[in-house]
Amino acid sequence: MTVLSQEIRPMARRVPPREISHDDLQLLRLLATGLPVDGVARRLDLSERTVRRRTRVICDRLGFSTAIEAIVWAARRGLV
């Protein structure tokens, strides 16, 4: 187990996957590809501000402080 994984695991509230909407997963998947926020916004036909806000809401719901933590959480569960 890496140091990063040791830090991330206790931070998650263990939210069941069913509480993550399809739209939330779509946003996390695009962020996971390395697209910048403006690229994600163009793909989803949203404003950059909306992408940032939705990312913050997803992180808050999952109990993470960064999008990277949320992406790692989703990846470990095979969601992204």
Side-chain angles (χ1 to χ4, degrees):
M1 186 178 296
T2 66
V3 174
L4 180 61
S5 64
Q6 290 171 347
E7 293 173 5
I8 291 174
R9 184 170 291 159
M11 295 166 56
R13 292 184 311 163
R14 310 281 188 247
V15 176
R18 70 180 182 282
E19 292 188 26
I20 303 298
S21 73
H22 173 74
D23 291 342
D24 292 346
L25 286 175
Q26 184 180 26
L27 190 143
L28 286 177
R29 282 182 185 118
L30 289 172
L31 289 173
T33 66
L35 272 177
V37 171
D38 64 330
V40 173
R42 279 193 302 273
R43 291 258 180 111
L44 298 177
D45 197 27
L46 300 171
S47 71
E48 290 180 40
R49 185 174 181 171
T50 299
V51 169
R52 286 189 180 93
R53 182 185 53 79
R54 284 182 53 192
T55 302
R56 178 79 261 140
V57 167
I58 292 167
C59 289
D60 289 346
R61 187 178 317 130
L62 294 174
F64 295 117
S65 56
T66 68
I68 292 171
E69 293 170 333
I71 291 165
V72 169
W73 176 88
R76 287 185 174 166
R77 282 153 185 79
L79 301 174
V80 295

